[in-house]
Amino acid sequence: MIALTLAVTMRQEEFTLAIDQSASVEVLGLFGPSGSGKTSLLEAIAGIRRPDTGEIRINDRVLFSSSAGVDLRPRERHIGYVPQDALLFPHLDVEQNIRYGERSDAPPDLFGSLTGILELDPLLARRVRHLSGGEKQRVAIARALMTRPTVLLLDEPLAAVDRARRERILPYVLRIRRDLHVPLVYVTHDASELTAIADRVLRLDQGRVVAAGTPAETVGSPSHTLTTGE
Amino acid sequence: MTADTWAIARFTVLMALTATALALPPAVAAGWLLARRSFPGKTLVETVVSLPLVLPPVATGLLLLWLFGRRSPVGKALDAAGIEIIFTWKAVVIAMMVVSFPLIARTVRAGIEQVDRRFEDIAATLGAGPFRVFRTVTLPLAARGIIAGAILGFSRALGEFGATIMVAGAIPGRTQTLAVGIYTFVETGREQAAWGLLAVSALLAFAAIYASNRIVDRAERA
């Protein structure tokens, strides 16, 4: 469980993203159509993009505050970020990618347990370009989790995966929550994914929160349901 | 081909390799700075970096001759330290470095600009500091541009003439390079020897350009 405060404004090309939300959650879903500001918000939390004004706080730790002049660098934030296209380092193999952010104080069994949970052991020696979309996502998730982040940001992890495989990947995401107790911020424009995993959802449109609450309150009942194998 | 021809070729290659090796680190730093940072006076720095590309090499040579001569502060300091530059092999290396530096820096810059910045962002979220990001992400992903730049710089150094003859002269066995050798052999009526040097020059130029094209081809296929 984390306490997350997102109170920022950020000028975008077509609108200004303006969010003012606080929530204590295990999985926070960000829901909305393409271009509604979901990815920009994740990048602001990760420290890759700088908001114009406002404050970002996780468990009383201020990551960004325009009034206090705080803007922690990405490497000081301890946040795992998995972008939509995974962005695995193309010059490294799977194991080297996963170990890139390994900390010297990491428990010795962390690598083994992550590759076990995400079923990556058969892929470790592979070149990144030989992986499927779903495999890339799992490697990127493992790479982010190796840094032992306080929260994991997932940007449409299932977008590059066809529907049949989605039902096989979603359980991995649930295992992160259940076995590793890592809180998630989960971006998607698919209501069924949120119904399966989120406990609170912010519904965004044109940079504004148009609804906040449980998945049922915010995204309604999805037209289809995903089985998660749980 | 005479033993002289081979001695001149060997000397030129050695000087060009040394010049490229010495110019590469600052050229990579300059290329990175221009590709990834904005700072006041950036356009001025860009212009100064590219200047030796458009300045006649003889003019560059004249500037170097003044800089390392006994009348400039640099020349005086070197003289006091007992270091002689003008008309030695060191002057050959410096002339080659100065003319090849802009080519290397510009090619490196283009190579770094092609690296998706988001890889660097991700590395930062994984805990890497700026130097580690550069060493483990930017540098390997821009490797082909850097190698291509080094080959281009080496090729330019091999053919260097104008600046070299100004600061190093054409002392046989001491500062005579392929380009300078061709000129002095023709001047002194030793045309056959000049043709020998021409053949070696063509061979080296061919090898360098071929290697460079191979790297570009492989980069395009990857």
Side-chain angles (χ1 to χ4, degrees):
Chain A
M1 190 78 98
I2 50 159
L4 194 64
T5 300
L6 297 171
V8 292
T9 64
M10 270 169 97
R11 217 187 323 269
Q12 306 281 88
E13 263 178 37
E14 292 178 358
F15 53 83
T16 296
L17 181 70
I19 307 277
D20 189 357
Q21 294 284 327
S22 293
S24 286
V25 285
E26 279 181 33
V27 178
L28 175 68
L30 297 179
F31 178 75
S34 301
S36 56
K38 307 184 298 289
T39 299
S40 300
L41 194 56
L42 285 195
E43 289 183 342
I45 300 171
I48 294 170
R49 281 183 66 158
R50 197 172 191 276
D52 298 316
T53 61
E55 186 174 273
I56 298 172
R57 215 166 47 212
I58 291 180
N59 296 337
D60 292 328
R61 190 162 177 257
V62 177
L63 305 183
F64 174 82
S65 167
S66 54
S67 58
V70 175
D71 184 13
L72 296 188
R73 284 173 288 192
R75 69 186 159 112
E76 296 165 332
R77 295 194 178 202
H78 307 301
I79 284 174
Y81 175 46
V82 179
Q84 194 177 339
D85 50 356
L87 281 179
L88 298 179
F89 301 124
H91 57 297
L92 302 179
D93 66 25
V94 169
E95 178 165 355
Q96 290 167 328
N97 263 282
I98 297 173
R99 287 192 187 275
Y100 187 88
E102 187 171 15
R103 284 161 50 169
S104 52
D105 61 352
D109 58 346
L110 181 61
F111 178 82
S113 67
L114 284 177
T115 55
I117 288 171
L118 294 163
E119 294 179 24
L120 293 169
D121 291 308
L123 306 177
L124 292 179
R126 289 247 206 114
R127 300 299 297 187
V128 166
R129 63 162 168 256
H130 299 310
L131 300 178
S132 71
E135 288 168 342
K136 280 182 183 160
Q137 279 296 333
R138 274 150 56 203
V139 175
I141 290 170
R143 178 178 67 174
L145 289 172
M146 265 317 265
T147 65
R148 305 178 71 201
T150 47
V151 58
L152 182 64
L153 314 177
L154 296 175
D155 194 354
E156 305 210 24
L158 307 188
V161 183
D162 59 52
R163 184 157 299 280
R165 289 212 176 83
R166 284 184 190 196
E167 304 200 349
R168 292 188 13 221
I169 292 182
L170 208 56
Y172 292 118
V173 177
L174 285 162
R175 278 189 217 169
I176 296 167
R177 174 184 175 166
R178 192 194 59 204
D179 299 346
L180 299 167
H181 310 292
V182 178
L184 303 173
V185 177
Y186 190 100
V187 162
T188 182
H189 55 243
D190 185 325
S192 62
E193 288 170 37
L194 292 178
T195 310
I197 72 158
D199 43 36
R200 188 177 166 81
V201 174
L202 302 180
R203 184 173 185 152
L204 295 179
D205 193 22
Q206 296 275 309
R208 312 266 155 174
V209 175
V210 292
T214 64
E217 289 162 359
T218 48
V219 300
S221 16
S223 54
H224 57 275
T225 48
L226 282 177
T227 51
T228 61
E230 292 287 299
Chain B
M1 263 177 236
T2 65
D4 256 9
T5 311
W6 290 117
I8 293 171
R10 213 168 33 237
F11 173 75
T12 309
V13 170
L14 192 66
M15 293 299 104
L17 281 174
T18 309
T20 310
L22 291 175
L24 195 57
V28 168
W32 177 81
L33 210 62
L34 292 173
R36 284 293 190 253
R37 287 281 180 269
S38 32
F39 49 89
K42 184 173 173 180
T43 315
L44 190 71
V45 172
E46 273 178 292
T47 310
V48 171
V49 164
S50 296
L51 207 58
L53 213 58
V54 276
L55 208 63
V58 176
T60 306
L62 183 60
L63 277 173
L64 292 174
L65 192 61
W66 171 80
L67 185 67
F68 293 105
R70 290 197 178 127
R71 272 181 293 173
S72 88
V74 175
K76 272 185 197 141
L78 288 168
D79 198 40
I83 299 169
E84 218 179 318
I85 302 280
I86 305 292
F87 298 123
T88 69
W89 65 267
K90 294 174 204 124
V92 177
V93 170
I94 289 169
M96 287 177 169
M97 273 175 71
V98 170
V99 295
S100 54
F101 179 84
L103 281 173
I104 306 176
R106 289 167 69 101
T107 315
V108 168
R109 178 194 181 163
I112 289 176
E113 276 172 345
Q114 277 179 11
V115 175
D116 188 341
R117 248 176 205 232
R118 295 190 312 142
F119 285 121
E120 296 164 349
D121 290 339
I122 286 292
T125 68
L126 293 168
F131 184 69
R132 184 167 175 233
V133 172
F134 175 74
R135 188 173 53 81
T136 59
V137 177
T138 317
L139 211 55
L141 291 179
R144 288 196 171 102
I146 293 166
I147 294 167
I151 292 175
L152 210 61
F154 173 74
S155 317
R156 176 66 187 86
L158 273 184
E160 209 326 276
F161 175 79
T164 312
I165 202 157
M166 289 296 282
V167 282
I171 308 166
R174 283 189 58 200
T175 64
Q176 198 170 45
T177 61
L178 284 166
V180 171
I182 290 174
Y183 178 75
T184 47
F185 283 173
V186 171
E187 277 281 276
T188 53
R190 297 167 63 191
E191 285 217 5
Q192 203 163 358
W195 280 102
L197 292 185
L198 171 74
V200 178
S201 295
L203 203 70
L204 288 170
F206 179 87
I209 293 169
Y210 183 79
S212 171
N213 286 342
R214 276 290 296 260
I215 289 166
V216 171
D217 282 354
R218 267 176 42 192
E220 276 167 3
R221 262 183 282 136

